[in-house]
Every structure is written in C-alpha cells, then in structure tokens.
Amino acid sequence: MEASSPLSGNSVEAFRQRRLALIERMTRGGGGVALIPTSPEQARNRDSHYPYRADSYFQYLTGFIEPEAVLVIVAGRGDTAPQSVLFCREKNMEREIWDGFRHGPDGAREAFGLDAAHAIGELDARLAELLADQPVLWFSLGQDAGWDSRIATALNRVRAESRSGKHAPATIRDVRAELDAMRLIKDATELDIMRRVAAISTGAHSRAMCFVAPGRFEYEVEAELLHEFRRHGCEFPAYTSIVAGGANACVLHYVGNDKVLRDGDLLLIDAGGELSGYASDITRSFPVNGRFSGPQADVYSLVLAAQDAAIAAVRPGATFADPHEAALKVLVQGMIDLKLLSGTADAAMESESYKRFYMHRTSHWLGKDVHDAGEYKAGDRWAPLVPGMVLTIEPGCYVRPADDVPEAFWNIGVRIEDDAVVTADGCEIITAAAPKKIADIEALMRDARAG
Ligand code: GLY
Ligand code: MN
Ligand code: MN
C-alpha cells in the first residue's frame, strides 16, 4: 500500500521547473552544487514526536515529504548536464510495518522525477566527491548546527586531497537568497493550492460564526476550526489558532484559548489551514451574541474601512508599504474621530501615537510559511508588488483600558485579515468568502440560531 502524499495535487513537472529555475540562478551565480536538507524530526516528550512537517525550501523543490532527506543539485557545466539527486531513507519492511510507507531511493527517483537517488546513509561518503572541484557551494549556512558541521567535515575531506589535485569550493553562497526570490512569485500550481486552502479556511470561519454563543469556551470554537480544516484535507493548521474573546483580543498572540465567551463581548479568531504545504491566514472579529454594540460597530467599521483602503492599494507598481500607509491614514483619522487620539492626524503620524492601538504592520508575504520567504526591502526601497505575489491585508485596532481612553471602547480588539494575490491590474482576495460586512455577519449568525 502506498501512503497518500499530501502533495499529490502537485504535478511532478512543477517541481522540475522550480529546480530548473534554481539551476539557472546557480549558473548565473558561478555554477556549483546546492545542498538543501529537509527538517529534522522533533521529539516532543520521551517517545512522542511533533507531527512531522518537511522543510519549506526542500518541499518547494521536490514535493517529497519524508524526513531524513537531502536534495543535491549540481548545476552542470560544459558537457555535463545538471543533475538533481535525492538522498532519502531506504525501504525497510520492519520500519514500514511500524511507521508506514517509505518510497526508498528507487521509488522516490521515479515518483518525483529526479535524476538519481541514494540512501541517506551514503551521503557523507558521497559528499566529498560531490563537492570536489565545484566552484560554489550553495547552502543555508547557520540554519542547523548539525548540518554546518557535516558540511565543514566534507569540505575538509576535499581539502585533504589537495595533493591529488582536488579543490574544495572557493565560495559558499546562501541558497536561500535565490529560493526566497523564487518563492515570492507563486506559480500556477501554488496559486491553485492557495485558493483551495483559502476556501477551506473561509468555511472554517463561517462555521465558527454559526457555532459561537455566550457560554461556549474558546477551545470549543478552536475545535470547530480544526474539524473543518482537517475534514477538507488540511494536514495541519498553518499556525496555532487564536480564539480570543473580549479583552483577550488585545493580546496579539493569544493562544491560551481556554476562557468562556461572554454575552456582549467580541470574539477575534485568527486561524487558517495548511494544505499541501501552503498556508491560509484569516482573521475575523464578531460579536459573541451575534449583534454588534454601538462602540463595537464603530471600531469594527473603522478597521474595515482601513482594510478596504489597503486592498485598493494592492496593484502592480505599488510597493509593499503602500497598503500599510493606506490603512494607517484611515485608522489614524478614525482614532481621532472616536476620541481615542487627540490632536491632528499629521501629529499622530509623526509621533506614532497610534501605535498604542495599532502596533503591528498591515501585511506579510504568505505561502508555504505563514510569514513567507521573500525580502521586503532592497536597500532602503520597499519591494515593488508584482503579479503572483501573495500578501495578507490585516489592519486592526486594540483598545486596552486606560484613564484617557473612552470607557465605551475598553477591551475592544478588532483585526480583519484577508489574503491577496497580486494580479495584472489589482488583486484577488482569495479569502473573501468569509463574511466581514456587519450586516453579513449578523445575518449569518441570526440564521444559524434560527435554523
Ligand atoms: N496569523 C499570523 C499573522 O496574522 O501574522
Ligand atoms: Mn497574518
Ligand atoms: Mn493571522
């Protein structure tokens, strides 16, 4: 029996194209050999391990998700063709009875379209040979101490053979710089998966809205989210779900999720599934009892207006900073109108007094990692937005009790977060199906209660 692969929706060809794109970049950077290891397994306690999740760079290039594996890419030169070589666990009937299917080198080479594959146990013996006389080693130095030392040993073994005319690579370059640039622009296969995980995750938010009522516990709502992710095929939540009732919404990374939901409070849910190694990242804020109070609606409408402005700023030619600037402009004026801030908008921008209520940025890249790979700035210039990039749009307003803040707003925390794909003339909000207009949220919750 073959274990189903969570990456089975991806075509082998998409991975081959990514490896070819990396080879082109390596060739421009002097050729040589790249080593991309997957993540180690992590012990949780005694004999239990955390659920295994393959390294994002490694799975981006291979689609292979077993632990104990390394991809070696040789750029090739002259008459020597480039090669993609996988080192992975051997087949082992005894271990497969206990732990499940392993492809083994021959099966993996075939299934994942690689040029060659060997047992991971052969890596050290073959490494010196792979590195010898290569001009450049592409490796993520500093990411894992064990790998750093393994590579250093292999390089020293090549250097020890200098009297037989062998040379170790003179240059070591960080392969992540090239892969980060590639991962910033999603290909069609990636966008297809991201739309699917977005659809599953919006369904989970709608389900939570229908389920929530005073007296329920935050963890019960979390269970509804996880149920919805998993029953549609997500392997994991993309990050620990935040289910924050009332004042907990003002704790940005609240993950305790153990308090009771109270009539009259808002609930902030920041949760998304992970499908085939791709994240969704959605936040909705809504009333536990299904009806926004006046002050809750004031803060919510302000954040929604800020999000609208930010979304309108996402288009090719704009920069990564533009949605944040657009959201901030709306938020700061709104905070003044609600008397959360005093003085002028210019003064609030200058002094950054708004940071008391809005202390995070509006966007981050989204992809295989929820805070995805990719530079935000080149020098001191913000990254220009390009079709195929995916970023979140997530303004918020968090009001902690204080003497100089109108009491009506105390403990109201609102964030509204959607995932935007940059298109040729603007953006596509792939998470739009999760209700966010006040009337839509209230109607859904009312219908759920009536139904
Ligand atoms: N859920 C993580 C974030 O919004 O950045
Ligand atoms: Mn986010
Ligand atoms: Mn989020």
Side-chain angles (χ1 to χ4, degrees):
M1 185 185 69
E2 184 155 332
S4 69
S5 158
L7 296 174
S8 55
N10 295 240
S11 76
V12 168
E13 189 51 29
F15 295 104
R16 199 196 315 272
Q17 289 303 328
R18 291 176 204 157
R19 291 193 296 271
L20 285 176
L22 177 60
I23 287 165
E24 259 182 54
R25 285 171 170 270
M26 289 167 65
T27 304
R28 282 203 297 274
V33 57
L35 246 97
I36 299 115
T38 196
S39 303
E41 291 176 287
Q42 298 282 356
R44 181 176 182 275
N45 58 308
R46 201 179 283 262
D47 288 341
S48 294
H49 284 76
Y50 287 103
Y52 183 70
R53 202 302 194 148
D55 174 77
S56 293
Y57 295 109
F58 177 84
Q59 56 170 272
Y60 176 76
L61 291 170
T62 61
F64 188 74
I65 56 167
E66 291 180 30
E68 298 182 75
V70 187
L71 174 68
V72 179
I73 294 187
V74 187
R77 57 191 148 172
D79 293 340
T80 325
Q83 279 237 319
S84 293
V85 184
L86 180 73
F87 288 82
C88 66
R89 297 182 308 190
E90 287 187 277
K91 292 218 50 89
N92 178 329
M93 269 313 133
E94 171 72 7
R95 288 316 325 158
E96 288 181 57
I97 287 169
W98 285 89
D99 302 328
F101 175 80
R102 299 176 172 197
H103 281 88
D106 289 342
R109 179 176 35 78
E110 184 79 10
F112 294 87
L114 299 151
D115 299 305
H118 306 288
I120 186 74
E122 294 176 23
L123 178 69
D124 289 323
R126 289 181 180 264
L127 210 45
E129 173 197 334
L130 284 162
L131 294 175
D133 296 330
Q134 292 290 351
V136 184
L137 167 62
W138 301 79
F139 178 67
S140 53
L141 203 61
Q143 186 176 333
D144 180 282
W147 274 105
D148 288 355
S149 125
R150 208 164 172 181
I151 296 291
T153 303
L155 288 171
N156 285 336
R157 280 181 37 216
V158 184
R159 289 180 191 123
E161 291 191 54
S162 64
R163 280 190 299 278
S164 356
K166 293 205 174 143
H167 295 96
T171 306
I172 300 181
R173 300 189 61 173
D174 196 330
V175 69
R176 288 173 295 189
E178 303 300 331
L179 290 171
D180 286 354
M182 288 167 58
R183 285 176 54 188
L184 202 43
I185 315 284
K186 274 65 181 175
D187 62 34
T189 304
E190 296 184 284
L191 290 176
D192 175 55
I193 301 168
M194 292 192 75
R195 286 190 187 96
R196 283 195 279 136
V197 71
I200 295 168
S201 304
T202 59
H205 279 264
S206 297
R207 182 185 178 107
M209 285 177 193
C210 295
F211 174 81
V212 162
R216 299 258 200 226
F217 279 80
E218 292 165 343
Y219 55 74
E220 292 182 85
V221 183
E222 182 181 13
E224 294 295 310
L225 297 162
L226 297 178
H227 175 83
E228 196 69 9
F229 296 155
R230 196 70 182 117
R231 85 188 183 102
H232 288 293
C234 289
E235 301 88 40
F236 309 102
Y239 52 91
T240 306
S241 306
I242 296 171
V243 183
N248 299 333
C250 296
V251 179
L252 295 180
H253 292 159
Y254 176 82
V255 289
N257 299 354
D258 59 354
K259 301 292 186 298
V260 72
L261 298 174
R262 294 187 326 194
D263 199 350
D265 278 351
L266 282 182
L267 172 63
L268 181 154
I269 297 179
D270 184 346
E274 179 176 310
L275 180 73
S276 300
Y278 286 84
S280 176
D281 186 6
I282 306 176
T283 307
R284 291 292 182 263
S285 308
F286 56 95
V288 168
N289 64 15
R291 297 277 301 172
F292 283 86
S293 71
Q296 288 168 351
D298 287 343
V299 176
Y300 188 88
S301 303
L302 171 59
V303 176
L304 191 57
Q307 202 210 27
D308 284 344
I311 288 172
V314 179
R315 58 177 177 277
T319 72
F320 175 78
D322 288 338
H324 181 61
E325 297 302 327
L328 213 47
K329 218 169 143 189
V330 174
L331 282 171
V332 164
Q333 187 55 54
M335 288 172 190
I336 292 168
D337 296 344
L338 293 178
K339 306 211 171 349
L340 293 170
L341 292 178
S342 54
T344 65
D346 284 346
M349 292 295 264
E350 175 72 24
S351 67
E352 299 189 334
S353 55
Y354 61 83
K355 283 196 171 170
R356 187 175 171 196
F357 306 109
Y358 184 46
M359 57 299 278
H360 58 80
R361 292 194 65 86
T362 303
S363 302
H364 53 79
W365 306 129
L366 181 70
K368 294 192 86 60
D369 300 314
V370 65
H371 293 170
D372 205 32
E375 296 289 352
Y376 290 96
K377 268 188 167 180
D380 50 10
R381 299 174 84 105
W382 289 103
L385 298 180
V386 172
M389 288 177 164
V390 185
L391 67 161
T392 63
I393 304 291
E394 48 177 308
C397 182
Y398 314 92
V399 188
R400 286 171 172 270
D403 287 345
D404 58 343
V405 169
E407 194 169 345
F409 299 121
W410 286 8
N411 293 323
I412 292 179
V414 170
R415 178 164 64 255
I416 307 173
E417 175 174 28
D418 282 288
D419 303 342
V421 179
V422 183
T423 59
D425 54 4
C427 69
E428 173 192 348
I429 301 298
I430 57 178
T431 48
K436 64 180 172 183
K437 285 191 188 133
I438 286 184
D440 292 346
I441 292 173
E442 291 187 344
L444 179 65
M445 295 183 77
R446 192 170 52 241
D447 292 349
R449 278 158 182 63

